[in-house]
Amino acid sequence: MLDQIKGLHHVTSMARDARQNNDFITHKLGLRRVKKTVNFDAPDVYHLYYGDEVGTPGSVMTYFPFPNIGKGRRGVGEVGTTVYSVPQGTLAYWEKRFADEGVTGVSREESFGEKRIRFDGPDGDGFALVEDKADSRAPWAKGGIPADEAIRGFHSVALRLKDGGATEELLKFMGYEEVEKSGTISRLALKNGNGADVVDIESLPTAAFADLGAGSVHHVAFAVENRAKQLEVRKALIDTGYGVTPVIDRDYFWAIYFRTPGGVLFEVATNEPGFDRDEDTAHLGEALKLPTQHQHLRPYLEQHLQKLEG
């Protein structure tokens, strides 16, 4: 069993409109845009990162807003819900805020004894807020949400799979333990992680497979401290039979990718070097930052990429 994984690092999703996406995450949810850059493989498309003040691993939601992308179709083989942690007793505040802001799909529920609100992102993204009294992480204090109510970071992701068994075994190999089961949902958690420590797996054997599109999660990333730990994880996964990519430099972390038995794309990303490698903390996410290989495109991109507030 591996001990290098420290919880979630980031979740990356697809969107259709960069301005709408930026407004939803920064204004309605009160998170900070910590990086404005572009997709490595499609540089005419933004890659937007949102999180806490410094983009701490376990708080970071990222998006590829493709202007002409079709809407995703829900199903199995995907991350169905991305769940944020909020302080205990704050769901009433969030219900009112969502009503005032016109957020759709809002409903109260309880899962594994935790009170939570489900809601939709602008492309039908599946989100939830869960009250977690044990979460001591500091929120982004300048996002227009009072600190006592603000999002702390990720609580969990929920996977929807045809058969969760093999993916559960993979997560156990990655250091997770099954802590609870409720109907068709198994909850796995990591001890002594970064706060974003939970993965729920729902088995839906008769459901159709999901189609990737706007509102879909593209991949979920797990955190390791550094490149040495990442190489240890990569070797262990390869030795176990997984096809893992070489290490890829993503400017703000190094990444490896592999496909899980249930079809979800997993990434293992380093906590280093962080989002302040090319911007000071006070100005994160303000300027357009480009990978070295795309610097020559700056005049074109600054002219053609959608202008964003903030």
Side-chain angles (χ1 to χ4, degrees):
M1 186 175 75
L2 301 176
D3 62 4
Q4 296 91 340
I5 304 292
K6 299 303 178 185
L8 298 178
H9 186 284
H10 65 269
V11 177
T12 294
S13 288
M14 315 294 285
R16 190 166 59 180
D17 184 272
R19 190 175 292 135
Q20 181 185 51
N21 175 259
N22 182 76
D23 175 73
F24 186 86
I25 303 295
T26 62
H27 174 65
K28 293 178 172 56
L29 298 188
L31 297 175
R32 185 183 195 186
R33 191 179 72 225
V34 295
K35 196 61 59 181
K36 181 170 66 171
T37 183
V38 296
N39 187 307
F40 273 75
D41 302 314
D44 58 339
V45 173
Y46 275 123
H47 192 176
L48 303 174
Y49 293 79
Y50 310 95
D52 64 9
E53 181 177 9
V54 297
T56 305
S59 77
V60 180
M61 190 81 204
T62 100
Y63 276 91
F64 301 134
F66 283 84
N68 299 312
I69 193 172
K71 189 174 176 62
R73 186 183 71 189
R74 297 285 182 91
V76 293
E78 69 171 352
V79 176
T81 310
T82 303
V83 186
Y84 284 110
S85 169
V86 294
Q88 192 170 28
T90 62
L91 292 189
Y93 168 87
W94 283 101
E95 282 178 319
K96 182 179 186 307
R97 180 173 184 82
F98 287 163
D100 292 344
E101 295 291 342
V103 176
T104 61
V106 180
S107 63
R108 277 258 196 165
E109 62 180 30
E110 192 165 308
S111 179
F112 293 101
E114 298 167 328
K115 294 178 181 178
R116 47 195 269 166
I117 296 175
R118 278 189 176 273
F119 63 99
D120 294 337
D123 291 297
D125 326 42
F127 284 117
L129 300 178
V130 63
E131 292 185 346
D132 185 353
K133 64 181 179 182
D135 193 341
S136 61
R137 292 175 290 174
W140 168 232
K142 299 177 182 178
I145 310 289
D148 289 344
E149 281 91 16
I151 288 170
R152 267 42 188 170
F154 292 131
H155 171 272
S156 57
V157 290
L159 314 183
R160 290 195 295 244
L161 308 176
K162 280 274 188 188
D163 181 352
T167 301
E168 287 183 39
E169 291 306 310
L170 167 63
L171 285 165
K172 289 174 183 176
F173 178 69
M174 292 168 62
Y176 286 76
E177 299 177 6
E178 186 175 303
V179 294
E180 208 167 345
K181 199 169 181 69
S182 176
T184 60
I185 304 175
S186 297
R187 169 157 288 189
L188 294 98
L190 194 69
K191 288 184 178 177
N192 304 314
N194 61 14
D197 304 328
V198 176
V199 178
D200 289 338
I201 296 180
E202 183 175 12
S203 294
L204 298 165
T206 63
F209 282 98
D211 279 340
L212 186 68
S216 301
V217 170
H218 184 271
H219 63 268
V220 57
F222 296 83
V224 291
E225 291 175 3
N226 53 46
R227 296 184 72 185
K229 299 293 186 184
Q230 183 183 62
L231 289 174
E232 293 170 4
V233 171
R234 183 174 185 270
K235 181 180 186 302
L237 289 167
I238 290 172
D239 289 347
T240 310
Y242 285 95
V244 186
T245 67
V247 176
I248 302 171
D249 182 357
R250 294 303 193 195
D251 283 352
Y252 310 106
F253 48 87
W254 283 271
I256 57 174
Y257 302 86
F258 64 103
R259 187 72 61 177
T260 67
V264 179
L265 184 61
F266 276 8
E267 175 183 344
V268 178
T270 61
N271 290 350
E272 60 179 8
F275 293 101
D276 60 355
R277 67 172 291 272
D278 57 2
E279 290 180 295
D280 64 81
T281 299
H283 298 286
L284 288 179
E286 294 179 8
L288 176 65
K289 296 297 180 180
L290 298 177
T292 301
Q293 65 268 38
H294 297 319
Q295 286 290 354
H296 68 286
L297 298 174
R298 180 174 291 278
Y300 170 82
L301 295 175
E302 288 183 341
Q303 185 69 28
H304 287 85
L305 286 171
Q306 205 175 18
K307 299 297 184 283
L308 304 178
E309 289 186 10

